[in-house]
């Protein structure tokens, strides 16, 4: 059945962060837009961002520093960010009643710290008489004619337009519905796609002591990763233990490097629970706690030496009988405790999958996109935005800023 509506000026596929920005911007100058979203609401992923608080952008005002976070895409992004940058994000949301606040590492959040408020602002932005929104409408095919895209198929319906914006996001946290994701459309259209893999993702760990600490979150932990036994890199930050392994900002931001290590051999890691204390100071600390608890059993004193979860880990890992009295612990045994406090060992099995990833590595090659407009160099009426692009970045608000920027630029290019 053919949609009886007039031919649209633009069809936006995907009602997420960048798709809503693109649709709302494209209706300037009276253009007509059809926004198609496969889920039964707009901005579903947006509503779970930042643990429900939505790290909406990163308030790094030095453009060079900001764009360097996007790795090899830095040069490509100068033009889009000059059209809609971090300041524009601040103005966009505050002028719509949602001021932003800046927290550690320049992470910006809505003042209300509620991601649903961000979704509401974006829904309001697409609430326009020139935008028709269709939810629960999954695009399964693009219609091409003589080398041009002329329409899309969604279920039994066909919709036609002069321009198309693909804003279908990445495989991260999708219902593994990879066939009808924009990536596969774009591959079929002849675009070069670097195979997506999970990124900003937790790590699966072999060791039972790690999984036994599930739910424990520890700040200021130093983790060092080893490839085939050789130290490769270290990072300090917040570490979260889960039922499958390790997560938290420290791990999420290490995952891309760990992924490269896993391609080259076996990867192990050690956790230093006292990264700012040297061995001598740590020994003094242990001796002091032992002195105060001389007649107690070791297992009851270990938790007083170290942060709660780590004490529990020591109980599982130490080769010493835990029932022995503290005043009978030998120097050698104390050394064993110190060694573990500075280097709790674990073996990394693999990265967790797309279902736990924040973003995906890979996507459509930037060589085939016009930097000033986000237009495809292959199809003159096709624009690409957001996560679908092959642009890597760490966590910290950089992903959503990319969505606002590219969405705005694509929408504005049509308007
Ligand atoms: C748990 C989690 C937390 C995150 N937290 C943050 C954060 O705090 N800060 C940050 O900067 N980034 C964060 N991100 C990343 C951020 O959410 C994404 O980078 C951003 O949403 C990308 O926007 P997008 O428009 O490209 O894609 P999305 O927002 O994913 O939108 C794509 C939309 O397209 C729809 N779609 C897909 N295929 C079709 C189809 N065939 N037909 C119709 N519709 C389709 C999807 O249903 C979806 O609604 C987080 C991601 C996750 C998973």
């Amino acid at each position: 059945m053919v949609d009886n509506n007039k031919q649209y000026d633009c069809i936006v596929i995907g009602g997420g962060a960048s798709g809503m920005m693109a649709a709302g911007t494209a209706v300037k100058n009276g253009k007509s837009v059809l926004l198609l979203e496969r889920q039964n609401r707009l901005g579903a992923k947006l509503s779970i961002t930042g643990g429900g608080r939505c790290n909406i952008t990163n308030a790094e005002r030095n453009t060079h520093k900001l764009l360097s976070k996007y790795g090899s895409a830095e040069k490509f992004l100068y033009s889009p960010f000059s059209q809609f940058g971090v300041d524009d994000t601040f103005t966009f949301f505050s002028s719509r009643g949602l001021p932003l606040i800046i927290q550690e590492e320049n992470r910006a959040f809505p003042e209300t710290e509620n991601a649903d408020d961000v979704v509401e602002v974006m829904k309001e932005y697409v609430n326009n008489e020139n935008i028709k929104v269709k939810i629960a409408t999954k695009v399964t095919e693009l219609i091409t004619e003589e080398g041009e895209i002329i329409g899309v198929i969604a279920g039994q319906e066909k919709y036609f337009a002069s321009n198309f914006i693909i804003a279908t996001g990445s495989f991260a946290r999708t219902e593994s519905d990879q066939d009808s994701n924009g990536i596969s459309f774009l591959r079929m259209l002849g675009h070069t796609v670097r195979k997506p893999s999970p990124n900003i993702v937790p790590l699966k760990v072999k060791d039972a002591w790690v999984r036994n600490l599930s739910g424990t979150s520890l700040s200021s932990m130093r983790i060092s990763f080893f490839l085939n036994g050789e130290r490769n890199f270290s990072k300090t930050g917040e570490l979260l233990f889960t039922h499958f392994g390790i997560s938290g900002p420290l791990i999420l931001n290490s995952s891309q490097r760990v992924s490269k290590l896993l391609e080259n051999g076996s990867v192990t890691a050690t956790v230093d629970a006292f990264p700012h204390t040297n061995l001598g100071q740590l020994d003094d600390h242990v001796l002091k706690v032992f002195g105060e608890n001389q007649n107690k059993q070791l297992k009851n004193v270990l938790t007083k030496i170290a942060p709660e979860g780590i004490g529990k880990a020591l109980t599982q890992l130490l080769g010493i009988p835990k029932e022995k009295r503290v005043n009978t612990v030998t120097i050698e045994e104390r050394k064993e405790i110190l060694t573990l406090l500075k280097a709790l060992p674990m073996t990394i099995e693999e990265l967790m999958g797309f279902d736990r990833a924040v973003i995906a590595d890979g996507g459509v090659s930037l060589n085939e996109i016009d930097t000033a407009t986000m237009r495809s160099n292959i199809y003159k009426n096709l624009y690409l935005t957001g996560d679908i692009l092959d642009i890597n970045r760490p966590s910290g608000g950089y992903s959503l800023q990319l969505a606002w920027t590219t969405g705005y630029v694509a929408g504005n290019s049509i308007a």
Side-chain angles (χ1 to χ4, degrees):
M1 197 171 91
V2 175
D3 183 32
N4 289 327
N5 208 327
K6 62 184 184 321
Q7 157 120 357
Y8 294 92
D9 290 315
C10 179
I11 290 178
V12 179
I13 311 172
S18 72
M20 286 193 279
M21 180 58 96
T25 306
V27 289
K28 283 182 195 168
N29 303 329
K31 300 281 183 201
S32 61
V33 172
L34 174 65
L35 174 60
L36 300 175
E37 167 55 49
R38 72 173 166 193
Q39 298 191 60
N40 57 11
R41 63 187 172 119
L42 295 174
K45 191 183 277 181
L46 192 50
S47 69
I48 57 162
T49 51
R53 296 195 303 139
C54 186
N55 182 188
I56 199 165
T57 183
N58 189 285
E60 172 59 70
R61 284 340 204 277
N62 177 321
T63 308
H64 173 66
K65 263 190 171 172
L66 176 80
L67 295 186
S68 69
K69 297 286 184 184
Y70 296 92
S72 58
E74 176 180 349
K75 273 206 182 116
F76 177 91
L77 289 174
Y78 271 97
S79 171
F81 272 71
S82 70
Q83 298 174 57
F84 194 95
V86 171
D87 285 338
D88 299 302
T89 301
F90 271 75
T91 308
F92 181 89
F93 287 99
S94 58
S95 67
R96 288 170 173 79
L98 193 62
L100 308 186
I101 49 165
I102 302 170
Q103 299 186 356
E104 70 288 350
E105 295 171 359
N106 283 330
R107 289 168 189 259
F109 295 85
E111 200 175 63
T112 55
E113 299 195 47
N114 185 348
D116 287 335
D117 293 338
V118 180
V119 177
E120 282 312 310
V121 168
M122 295 314 294
K123 276 164 89 173
E124 198 44 46
Y125 192 50
V126 297
N127 181 14
N128 180 300
E129 58 180 2
N130 288 325
I131 304 179
K132 183 166 178 181
V133 177
K134 278 187 157 276
I135 54 168
T137 306
K138 179 164 90 182
V139 173
T140 47
E141 225 179 300
L142 301 183
I143 309 167
T144 54
E145 204 176 84
E146 293 171 8
E148 270 204 30
I149 304 168
I150 59 161
V152 303
I153 300 177
Q156 302 300 310
E157 310 277 348
K158 287 179 180 171
Y159 303 99
F160 297 94
S162 328
N163 295 287
F164 297 83
I165 298 178
I166 300 192
T168 46
S170 70
F171 294 153
R173 297 284 173 103
T174 52
E175 328 77 73
S176 64
D177 182 6
Q178 304 191 352
D179 289 344
S180 57
N181 180 286
I183 292 269
S184 46
F185 299 148
L186 290 161
R187 239 189 219 125
M188 277 188 256
L189 290 173
H191 266 285
T192 310
V193 177
R194 195 159 66 84
K195 190 173 180 259
S197 60
N199 193 10
I200 313 190
V201 65
L203 302 176
K204 189 170 174 194
V205 171
K206 228 177 210 164
D207 311 69
W209 75 264
V210 172
R211 295 195 300 271
N212 290 341
L213 260 58
S214 175
T216 307
S217 173
L218 297 167
S219 57
S220 265
M221 295 285 117
R222 185 163 186 77
I223 189 158
S224 301
F225 290 96
F226 298 78
L227 173 62
N228 298 326
E230 246 181 66
R231 184 190 291 266
N232 192 280
F233 74 98
S234 304
K235 265 181 190 277
T236 306
E238 188 183 335
L239 178 62
L240 173 69
F241 293 89
T242 71
H243 65 279
F244 53 77
I246 47 177
S247 186
L250 174 64
I251 302 307
L252 297 177
N253 277 334
S254 304
S255 58
Q256 203 193 359
R257 287 176 78 175
V258 173
S259 149
K260 301 271 177 288
L261 297 183
L262 284 163
E263 284 168 17
N264 290 299
S266 73
V267 180
T268 51
T270 57
V271 173
D272 182 348
F274 290 89
H276 307 298
T277 310
N278 66 33
L279 259 183
Q281 293 164 333
L282 191 56
D283 197 20
D284 290 346
H285 164 68
V286 172
L287 279 171
K288 185 167 174 280
V289 178
F290 277 10
E292 290 161 357
N293 298 278
Q294 291 204 26
N295 292 314
K296 295 202 176 127
Q297 285 186 332
L298 182 60
K299 65 179 179 195
N300 297 324
V301 180
L302 288 174
T303 48
K304 297 183 201 291
I305 294 175
E308 197 189 320
I310 300 297
K312 200 169 153 193
L314 286 181
T315 345
Q316 296 167 68
L317 290 171
L318 273 176
I320 317 167
K322 297 354 154 258
E323 282 70 32
K324 77 185 291 181
R325 302 272 154 204
V326 163
N327 56 11
T328 65
V329 172
T330 65
I331 294 178
E332 285 312 309
E333 288 170 339
R334 206 172 73 240
K335 267 193 187 158
E336 193 187 332
I337 295 171
L338 292 176
T339 305
L340 279 176
L341 286 174
K342 292 298 278 177
L344 289 153
M346 62 178 86
T347 301
I348 310 297
E349 278 191 303
E350 58 183 357
L351 265 61
M352 296 300 285
F354 283 118
D355 56 333
R356 292 191 190 268
V358 171
I359 62 168
D361 187 14
V364 177
S365 167
L366 297 183
N367 295 333
E368 296 163 359
I369 313 288
D370 173 42
T371 169
T373 56
M374 305 313 298
R375 190 168 69 180
S376 156
N377 292 334
I378 302 179
Y379 293 85
K380 296 299 174 213
N381 62 347
L382 174 66
Y383 298 76
L384 309 180
T385 65
D387 275 2
I388 205 161
L389 300 163
D390 185 5
I391 300 179
N392 238 319
R393 64 274 173 185
S395 79
Y398 303 101
S399 296
L400 281 175
Q401 182 56 53
L402 186 67
W404 310 134
T405 295
T406 53
Y408 175 88
V409 170
N412 198 42
S413 302
I414 283 156

